[in-house]
Amino acid sequence: MHPNALSQCDNLALMKMSSRRDLAELASVFGYAPDALVDRSPSFRQGQALFAGGFVDAAEIVQMGERLTHEGGSDVRVPIR
């Protein structure tokens, strides 16, 4: 994604990322996300994310709840002719 487009984002929902280089780039663009929290991303467990920006009062790591609906979906069968 072009850095100019990314810099226009006012909110960040960051899930587990293991690339230090990618995290450093994100930290430079999302300056309102504290480095100490961004740096914890590689150790996030399933369902954890860092929320930062205008949609939260303060940057924080959150734990998502369990799924409420049945997981569905599958491949669409396409007949071979």
Side-chain angles (χ1 to χ4, degrees):
M1 180 178 285
H2 193 279
N4 288 345
L6 192 58
S7 68
Q8 298 304 308
C9 297
D10 293 332
N11 296 301
L12 171 67
L14 174 65
M15 297 180 82
K16 183 174 184 172
M17 289 186 67
S18 52
S19 169
R20 291 288 174 195
R21 180 181 230 175
D22 291 343
L23 284 171
E25 173 123 5
L26 276 174
S28 71
V29 173
F30 294 100
Y32 50 82
D35 290 342
L37 294 180
V38 172
D39 290 344
R40 290 175 55 186
S41 173
S43 65
F44 285 175
R45 298 184 313 273
Q46 184 174 1
Q48 286 187 317
L50 166 60
F51 284 180
F55 69 151
V56 291
D57 291 333
E60 62 183 319
I61 296 173
V62 298
Q63 176 68 48
M64 307 301 167
E66 297 228 358
R67 185 183 185 107
L68 299 176
T69 58
H70 173 73
E71 183 174 349
S74 63
D75 288 342
V76 176
R77 296 186 61 101
V78 177
I80 298 176
R81 298 180 189 202

XYZ file of all heavy atoms in Angstrom:
613
model
N 0.848 -1.169 0.000
C 0.000 0.000 0.000
C 0.897 1.235 0.000
O 1.922 1.270 0.671
C -0.882 -0.020 1.249
C -1.791 1.157 1.349
S -2.880 1.137 2.780
C -4.052 -0.068 2.261
N 0.470 2.225 -0.733
C 1.255 3.445 -0.828
C 1.291 4.149 0.528
O 0.253 4.280 1.183
C 0.647 4.370 -1.884
C 1.551 5.484 -2.257
N 1.673 6.625 -1.510
C 2.411 5.615 -3.293
C 2.550 7.431 -2.059
N 3.011 6.836 -3.155
N 2.468 4.587 0.977
C 2.583 5.247 2.289
C 1.661 6.452 2.461
O 1.178 6.716 3.558
C 4.049 5.676 2.368
C 4.759 4.804 1.399
C 3.762 4.459 0.318
N 1.413 7.204 1.390
C 0.528 8.365 1.510
C -0.903 7.949 1.808
O -1.619 8.651 2.513
C 0.569 9.213 0.244
C 1.878 9.958 0.106
O 2.649 10.072 1.052
N 2.153 10.451 -1.085
N -1.327 6.816 1.274
C -2.676 6.319 1.571
C -2.732 5.798 2.996
O -3.675 6.061 3.741
C -3.068 5.220 0.591
N -1.728 5.070 3.398
C -1.694 4.505 4.742
C -1.650 5.591 5.809
O -2.287 5.471 6.855
C -0.479 3.578 4.875
C -0.410 2.685 6.082
C -1.631 1.785 6.168
C 0.851 1.833 6.047
N -0.945 6.666 5.540
C -0.827 7.736 6.530
C -2.159 8.458 6.760
O -2.296 9.187 7.741
C 0.246 8.736 6.112
O -0.173 9.452 4.969
N -3.135 8.268 5.887
C -4.444 8.900 6.052
C -5.372 8.097 6.961
O -6.463 8.547 7.287
C -5.113 9.092 4.692
C -4.338 10.008 3.768
C -4.087 11.380 4.399
O -5.016 12.018 4.867
N -2.837 11.807 4.431
N -4.945 6.918 7.358
C -5.760 6.074 8.236
C -5.693 6.608 9.661
O -4.611 6.841 10.191
C -5.275 4.636 8.197
S -5.435 3.863 6.585
N -6.850 6.807 10.266
C -6.909 7.360 11.618
C -7.037 6.278 12.688
O -7.057 6.593 13.872
C -8.086 8.318 11.745
C -7.903 9.554 10.897
O -6.747 9.939 10.656
O -8.912 10.129 10.464
N -7.179 5.032 12.275
C -7.352 3.938 13.223
C -6.431 2.776 12.849
O -6.114 2.579 11.681
C -8.799 3.433 13.207
C -9.755 4.497 13.679
O -9.651 4.994 14.790
N -10.690 4.875 12.821
N -6.052 2.022 13.854
C -5.205 0.856 13.653
C -5.762 -0.303 14.454
O -6.042 -0.168 15.649
C -3.767 1.146 14.115
C -2.804 -0.041 14.156
C -2.509 -0.552 12.747
C -1.503 0.345 14.850
N -5.961 -1.422 13.791
C -6.292 -2.682 14.452
C -5.221 -3.661 13.981
O -5.259 -4.142 12.853
C -7.680 -3.159 14.080
N -4.239 -3.886 14.810
C -3.064 -4.679 14.441
C -3.119 -6.031 15.122
O -3.169 -6.119 16.347
C -1.790 -3.936 14.858
C -0.473 -4.673 14.671
C -0.202 -4.908 13.189
C 0.662 -3.894 15.311
N -3.112 -7.084 14.322
C -3.067 -8.428 14.865
C -1.623 -8.907 14.819
O -0.717 -8.121 14.566
C -4.024 -9.326 14.093
C -5.471 -8.852 14.265
S -6.688 -9.834 13.406
C -6.890 -11.152 14.582
N -1.396 -10.170 15.052
C -0.040 -10.713 15.143
C 0.736 -10.493 13.845
O 0.264 -10.816 12.768
C -0.096 -12.204 15.452
C 1.259 -12.821 15.631
C 1.150 -14.262 16.069
C 2.533 -14.824 16.332
N 2.453 -16.155 16.933
N 1.907 -9.902 13.994
C 2.846 -9.727 12.883
C 4.218 -10.142 13.381
O 4.632 -9.733 14.465
C 2.896 -8.270 12.420
C 1.667 -7.806 11.689
S 1.851 -6.144 11.017
C 3.096 -6.378 9.768
N 4.908 -10.935 12.604
C 6.215 -11.406 13.066
C 7.389 -10.711 12.390
O 8.520 -10.843 12.837
C 6.328 -12.922 12.880
O 6.012 -13.277 11.563
N 7.137 -9.948 11.343
C 8.217 -9.264 10.641
C 8.581 -7.960 11.356
O 7.781 -7.019 11.412
C 7.802 -8.957 9.203
O 8.729 -8.078 8.599
N 9.771 -7.907 11.897
C 10.243 -6.690 12.587
C 10.300 -5.500 11.635
O 10.027 -4.373 12.011
C 11.621 -6.931 13.218
C 11.592 -7.874 14.381
C 10.957 -7.205 15.554
N 10.787 -8.140 16.657
C 10.030 -7.918 17.686
N 9.355 -6.801 17.780
N 9.906 -8.799 18.639
N 10.659 -5.759 10.398
C 10.747 -4.683 9.408
C 9.362 -4.076 9.153
O 9.197 -2.858 9.108
C 11.340 -5.220 8.121
C 11.461 -4.192 7.041
C 12.017 -4.794 5.797
N 13.108 -3.947 5.345
C 13.878 -4.219 4.333
N 13.744 -5.340 3.682
N 14.821 -3.379 3.956
N 8.349 -4.937 8.984
C 6.987 -4.453 8.769
C 6.472 -3.695 9.991
O 5.799 -2.670 9.865
C 6.039 -5.606 8.446
C 6.309 -6.223 7.078
O 6.990 -5.578 6.256
O 5.843 -7.352 6.851
N 6.798 -4.188 11.176
C 6.372 -3.506 12.403
C 7.014 -2.132 12.525
O 6.363 -1.178 12.939
C 6.711 -4.347 13.632
C 5.788 -5.538 13.875
C 6.341 -6.420 14.988
C 4.397 -5.064 14.216
N 8.278 -2.019 12.154
C 8.969 -0.725 12.208
C 8.309 0.266 11.257
O 8.122 1.439 11.596
C 10.441 -0.899 11.869
N 7.923 -0.217 10.078
C 7.243 0.661 9.115
C 5.892 1.102 9.649
O 5.520 2.272 9.557
C 7.065 -0.068 7.783
C 6.237 0.704 6.812
C 6.957 0.973 5.512
O 8.067 0.472 5.333
O 6.390 1.703 4.716
N 5.127 0.170 10.210
C 3.831 0.524 10.792
C 3.989 1.542 11.911
O 3.216 2.488 12.015
C 3.125 -0.720 11.334
C 2.348 -1.534 10.334
C 1.838 -2.815 10.978
C 1.203 -0.746 9.761
N 4.977 1.342 12.759
C 5.205 2.255 13.881
C 5.522 3.664 13.378
O 5.112 4.654 13.990
C 6.328 1.730 14.765
N 6.222 3.760 12.253
C 6.555 5.085 11.731
C 5.323 5.786 11.148
O 5.217 6.997 11.212
C 7.658 4.985 10.674
O 7.182 4.388 9.493
N 4.395 5.006 10.588
C 3.184 5.595 9.993
C 2.143 5.891 11.065
O 1.517 6.938 11.064
C 2.603 4.656 8.914
C 1.265 5.169 8.414
C 3.580 4.493 7.758
N 1.949 4.938 11.990
C 0.947 5.088 13.042
C 1.634 5.560 14.319
O 1.746 4.826 15.293
C 0.213 3.765 13.274
C -0.628 3.340 12.109
C -0.173 2.385 11.224
C -1.867 3.918 11.884
C -0.947 1.988 10.141
C -2.650 3.542 10.802
C -2.184 2.569 9.926
N 2.093 6.800 14.309
C 2.847 7.344 15.433
C 2.063 7.399 16.731
O 2.639 7.486 17.805
N 0.733 7.346 16.667
C -0.089 7.385 17.866
C -0.184 6.019 18.552
O -0.757 5.905 19.618
C -1.490 7.916 17.551
C -2.160 7.244 16.378
C -2.807 6.022 16.526
C -2.118 7.823 15.120
C -3.411 5.398 15.449
C -2.728 7.213 14.042
C -3.366 6.000 14.205
O -3.955 5.395 13.137
N 0.353 4.985 17.933
C 0.396 3.653 18.559
C 1.736 3.523 19.276
O 2.786 3.583 18.641
C 0.250 2.560 17.513
N 1.728 3.390 20.593
C 2.987 3.336 21.345
C 3.888 2.187 20.884
O 3.422 1.057 20.683
C 2.529 3.105 22.793
C 1.105 3.556 22.830
C 0.557 3.290 21.462
N 5.169 2.493 20.695
C 6.132 1.490 20.241
C 6.113 0.244 21.128
O 6.228 -0.877 20.630
C 7.551 2.065 20.213
C 7.733 3.092 19.107
O 6.912 3.116 18.164
O 8.698 3.873 19.193
N 5.964 0.437 22.429
C 5.982 -0.702 23.355
C 4.845 -1.674 23.062
O 5.015 -2.890 23.209
C 5.899 -0.215 24.799
N 3.694 -1.159 22.634
C 2.565 -2.038 22.304
C 2.737 -2.655 20.920
O 2.448 -3.838 20.726
C 1.249 -1.277 22.392
C 0.837 -0.803 23.785
C -0.493 -0.062 23.737
C 0.748 -1.969 24.756
N 3.203 -1.884 19.956
C 3.455 -2.408 18.608
C 4.485 -3.539 18.685
O 4.332 -4.575 18.036
C 3.921 -1.294 17.650
C 4.359 -1.864 16.313
C 2.831 -0.258 17.448
N 5.507 -3.360 19.498
C 6.576 -4.362 19.625
C 6.089 -5.682 20.205
O 6.747 -6.703 20.061
C 7.720 -3.822 20.486
C 8.506 -2.725 19.795
O 8.369 -2.589 18.554
O 9.244 -2.005 20.480
N 4.938 -5.667 20.858
C 4.391 -6.902 21.436
C 3.635 -7.751 20.417
O 3.288 -8.898 20.691
C 3.482 -6.573 22.620
C 4.265 -6.045 23.820
C 3.397 -5.595 24.948
N 2.473 -6.634 25.403
C 1.526 -6.425 26.310
N 1.401 -5.238 26.856
N 0.708 -7.380 26.665
N 3.396 -7.213 19.233
C 2.604 -7.912 18.225
C 3.080 -9.333 17.911
O 2.252 -10.230 17.790
C 2.548 -7.090 16.937
O 1.926 -7.801 15.909
N 4.382 -9.594 17.794
C 4.799 -10.969 17.483
C 4.378 -12.002 18.532
O 4.288 -13.189 18.228
C 6.324 -10.878 17.393
C 6.590 -9.453 17.050
C 5.517 -8.670 17.766
N 4.077 -11.559 19.729
C 3.700 -12.514 20.781
C 2.185 -12.553 21.038
O 1.742 -13.223 21.969
C 4.439 -12.180 22.081
O 4.028 -10.915 22.567
N 1.400 -11.859 20.197
C -0.053 -11.897 20.371
C -0.555 -13.325 20.217
O -0.091 -14.073 19.355
C -0.766 -11.027 19.332
C -0.683 -9.544 19.581
C -1.202 -8.662 18.654
C -0.091 -9.016 20.713
C -1.149 -7.291 18.850
C -0.031 -7.645 20.926
C -0.558 -6.786 19.984
N -1.531 -13.681 21.042
C -2.193 -14.974 20.935
C -3.398 -14.835 20.004
O -3.779 -13.726 19.641
C -2.640 -15.454 22.320
C -1.470 -15.671 23.274
C -1.910 -16.233 24.621
N -3.059 -15.561 25.215
C -3.011 -14.487 25.990
N -1.855 -13.939 26.279
N -4.115 -13.953 26.498
N -3.991 -15.955 19.664
C -5.163 -15.932 18.796
C -6.246 -15.044 19.415
O -6.561 -15.157 20.595
C -5.712 -17.332 18.591
C -6.870 -17.358 17.626
C -7.326 -18.776 17.309
O -6.791 -19.742 17.818
N -8.329 -18.885 16.461
N -6.787 -14.132 18.610
C -7.846 -13.254 19.069
C -7.377 -11.957 19.695
O -8.191 -11.120 20.065
N -6.076 -11.743 19.818
C -5.570 -10.496 20.384
C -5.244 -9.497 19.273
O -4.826 -9.882 18.181
C -4.310 -10.731 21.213
C -4.581 -11.371 22.534
C -3.333 -11.439 23.383
O -2.249 -11.775 22.902
N -3.490 -11.138 24.655
N -5.431 -8.227 19.556
C -5.109 -7.170 18.602
C -4.793 -5.888 19.355
O -5.244 -5.683 20.482
C -6.272 -6.932 17.646
N -4.024 -5.043 18.736
C -3.742 -3.703 19.254
C -4.696 -2.750 18.553
O -4.736 -2.698 17.321
C -2.297 -3.308 18.955
C -1.936 -1.828 19.127
C -2.179 -1.355 20.547
C -0.509 -1.569 18.699
N -5.491 -2.035 19.331
C -6.365 -0.995 18.796
C -5.763 0.348 19.179
O -5.427 0.582 20.336
C -7.775 -1.088 19.384
C -8.630 -2.198 18.829
C -9.913 -2.370 19.291
C -8.178 -3.063 17.849
C -10.729 -3.379 18.795
C -8.967 -4.074 17.342
C -10.252 -4.222 17.817
N -5.649 1.240 18.202
C -5.127 2.584 18.466
C -5.757 3.543 17.470
O -6.146 3.154 16.372
C -3.608 2.608 18.331
N -5.879 4.785 17.868
C -6.424 5.800 16.983
C -7.711 6.380 17.517
O -8.050 6.236 18.692
N -8.462 7.008 16.619
C -9.657 7.739 17.004
C -10.808 6.895 17.503
O -11.708 7.408 18.144
N -10.796 5.594 17.231
C -11.937 4.784 17.657
C -11.784 4.195 19.052
O -12.642 3.453 19.505
C -12.298 3.726 16.612
C -11.334 2.589 16.413
C -11.817 1.355 15.990
C -9.978 2.723 16.604
C -10.955 0.289 15.769
C -9.115 1.678 16.397
C -9.603 0.446 15.969
N -10.703 4.532 19.743
C -10.525 4.135 21.142
C -9.990 5.329 21.925
O -9.329 6.202 21.369
C -9.564 2.929 21.294
C -10.184 1.659 20.740
C -8.220 3.173 20.637
N -10.280 5.368 23.223
C -9.799 6.478 24.054
C -8.288 6.445 24.222
O -7.636 7.483 24.264
C -10.467 6.437 25.427
C -11.953 6.771 25.352
O -12.346 7.506 24.417
O -12.703 6.292 26.214
N -7.742 5.244 24.352
C -6.302 5.072 24.509
C -5.900 3.772 23.827
O -6.675 2.815 23.793
C -5.925 5.015 25.990
N -4.698 3.746 23.274
C -4.209 2.532 22.628
C -4.177 1.393 23.642
O -3.766 1.584 24.788
C -2.812 2.765 22.061
N -4.657 0.224 23.215
C -4.660 -0.917 24.122
C -4.707 -2.221 23.349
O -5.121 -2.270 22.198
C -5.843 -0.851 25.072
C -7.203 -0.893 24.398
C -8.337 -0.757 25.401
O -8.267 -1.349 26.482
O -9.291 -0.035 25.076
N -4.244 -3.267 24.016
C -4.328 -4.610 23.463
C -5.626 -5.216 23.960
O -5.919 -5.178 25.152
C -3.109 -5.457 23.884
C -1.841 -4.842 23.280
C -3.281 -6.902 23.429
C -0.551 -5.470 23.733
N -6.403 -5.742 23.021
C -7.707 -6.313 23.363
C -7.727 -7.796 23.025
O -6.957 -8.271 22.189
C -8.851 -5.579 22.631
C -8.910 -4.132 23.027
C -8.713 -5.717 21.135
N -8.622 -8.504 23.698
C -8.839 -9.923 23.421
C -10.245 -10.067 22.870
O -11.208 -9.703 23.540
C -8.678 -10.755 24.703
C -8.969 -12.234 24.527
C -7.943 -12.944 23.673
O -6.747 -12.791 23.879
N -8.404 -13.705 22.697
N -10.364 -10.586 21.661
C -11.674 -10.791 21.054
C -12.364 -11.970 21.737
O -11.706 -12.897 22.202
C -11.558 -11.117 19.562
C -10.768 -10.142 18.756
S -11.423 -8.491 18.814
C -10.063 -7.602 18.119
N -13.685 -11.931 21.777
C -14.453 -13.033 22.320
C -14.558 -14.177 21.320
O -14.144 -14.069 20.169
N -15.142 -15.270 21.773
C -15.333 -16.420 20.898
C -16.363 -16.096 19.831
O -17.248 -15.254 20.026
C -15.789 -17.613 21.729
C -14.756 -18.029 22.748
C -14.509 -19.517 22.713
O -15.147 -20.236 21.941
O -13.651 -19.953 23.488
N -16.277 -16.766 18.733
C -17.211 -16.592 17.628
C -18.625 -16.925 18.092
O -18.845 -17.912 18.786
C -16.796 -17.498 16.474
C -17.614 -17.311 15.257
C -17.195 -18.295 14.157
N -17.941 -18.002 12.971
C -17.437 -17.427 11.887
N -16.173 -17.105 11.857
N -18.197 -17.172 10.858
N -19.602 -16.105 17.711
C -20.991 -16.316 18.116
C -21.798 -17.102 17.081
O -22.817 -17.694 17.409
C -21.687 -14.971 18.361
C -21.088 -14.105 19.466
C -21.817 -12.771 19.536
C -21.138 -14.822 20.800
N -21.348 -17.087 15.838
C -22.087 -17.764 14.784
C -21.316 -18.973 14.281
O -20.098 -19.064 14.450
C -22.346 -16.814 13.595
O -21.077 -16.349 13.105
C -23.197 -15.632 14.015
N -22.032 -19.884 13.657
C -21.411 -21.066 13.080
C -20.519 -20.656 11.918
O -20.929 -19.859 11.071
C -22.492 -22.041 12.600
C -21.951 -23.208 11.849
N -21.271 -24.240 12.470
C -21.975 -23.509 10.533
C -20.906 -25.121 11.562
N -21.318 -24.700 10.378
N -19.310 -21.186 11.879
C -18.418 -20.882 10.763
C -18.884 -21.677 9.555
O -18.977 -22.897 9.601
C -16.972 -21.224 11.099
C -16.020 -20.849 10.008
C -14.568 -21.039 10.383
O -14.268 -21.269 11.558
O -13.730 -20.959 9.475
N -19.193 -20.989 8.523
C -19.694 -21.654 7.318
C -18.805 -21.360 6.141
O -17.634 -21.023 6.293
N -19.392 -21.475 5.002
C -18.653 -21.190 3.786
C -17.891 -22.408 3.304
O -17.490 -23.257 4.076
N -17.781 -22.497 2.039
C -17.018 -23.564 1.428
C -16.803 -23.187 -0.025
O -17.320 -22.169 -0.508
C -17.774 -24.899 1.523
O -18.985 -24.821 0.803
N -16.064 -24.002 -0.716
C -15.846 -23.758 -2.134
C -17.146 -23.966 -2.895
O -17.971 -24.812 -2.523
C -14.787 -24.703 -2.690
C -13.391 -24.336 -2.203
O -13.206 -23.204 -1.744
O -12.503 -25.191 -2.290
N -17.335 -23.225 -3.918
C -18.490 -23.385 -4.791
C -18.155 -24.456 -5.822
O -17.120 -24.382 -6.499
C -18.856 -22.052 -5.487
C -19.992 -22.248 -6.464
C -19.164 -20.995 -4.468
N -19.008 -25.459 -5.911
C -18.768 -26.530 -6.874
C -19.023 -26.004 -8.288
O -20.056 -25.403 -8.562
C -19.657 -27.715 -6.573
C -19.347 -28.351 -5.233
C -20.149 -29.602 -5.063
N -19.829 -30.574 -6.100
C -19.031 -31.636 -5.932
N -18.504 -31.869 -4.753
N -18.807 -32.470 -6.927
N -18.084 -26.249 -9.164
C -18.210 -25.851 -10.558
C -18.113 -27.109 -11.395
O -17.107 -27.822 -11.336
C -17.106 -24.853 -10.967
C -17.206 -24.497 -12.438
C -17.155 -23.626 -10.102
N -19.179 -27.400 -12.149
C -19.128 -28.618 -12.967
C -18.077 -28.516 -14.064
O -17.894 -27.457 -14.680
C -20.534 -28.723 -13.543
C -21.157 -27.382 -13.384
C -20.426 -26.674 -12.304
N -17.378 -29.603 -14.278
C -16.362 -29.649 -15.343
C -17.047 -30.176 -16.581
O -17.742 -31.185 -16.558
C -15.201 -30.564 -14.929
C -14.533 -29.993 -13.681
C -14.192 -30.696 -16.079
C -13.428 -30.844 -13.119
N -16.882 -29.480 -17.680
C -17.547 -29.878 -18.953
C -16.601 -30.566 -19.868
O -15.497 -30.382 -19.996
C -18.129 -28.657 -19.634
C -19.175 -28.021 -18.800
C -19.726 -26.822 -19.492
N -20.579 -26.136 -18.545
C -21.518 -25.314 -18.879
N -21.732 -25.051 -20.133
N -22.263 -24.723 -17.979
